[in-house]
Amino acid sequence: MTGKTEEALGYEQARDELVEVVRRLEAGGTSLEESLALWERGEELAKVCRRWLEGARARLDAALAEEEEEGEKRED
């Protein structure tokens, strides 16, 4: 998967595909090569999800800090 494709995936898409990858790995019955490819794909998808969540956390932290700053200005 290329970086551009990773960037194009939304959180929900990456999460849903990751769930499918895990399901297939847990079900077994795949060759070693296929299992390794699934594992690698799962790692990539997990990174995509992590980046989305970290971005959301940063936005939330920024909004909370801004709200707190505005509250302090009102108190002055």
Side-chain angles (χ1 to χ4, degrees), residues 4-74:
K4 279 191 170 189
T5 305
E6 284 182 11
E7 291 172 8
L9 279 177
Y11 172 77
E12 289 82 5
Q13 293 170 305
R15 181 203 58 214
D16 291 347
E17 188 177 342
L18 180 56
V19 167
E20 179 61 21
V21 166
V22 170
R23 186 197 63 74
R24 289 181 61 196
L25 284 169
E26 287 177 342
T30 57
S31 68
L32 178 58
E33 281 297 314
E34 187 176 5
S35 293
L36 287 173
L38 285 169
W39 179 271
E40 290 169 350
R41 179 66 176 157
E43 289 289 328
E44 292 171 358
L45 292 165
K47 287 177 187 175
V48 170
C49 289
R50 191 173 311 114
R51 278 196 300 272
W52 274 105
L53 292 172
E54 287 170 355
R57 173 46 103 186
R59 290 174 59 192
L60 179 59
D61 288 345
L64 291 172
E66 184 178 313
E67 185 177 293
E68 185 177 305
E69 191 175 291
E70 287 176 10
E72 289 174 0
K73 287 180 182 177
R74 280 181 261 174

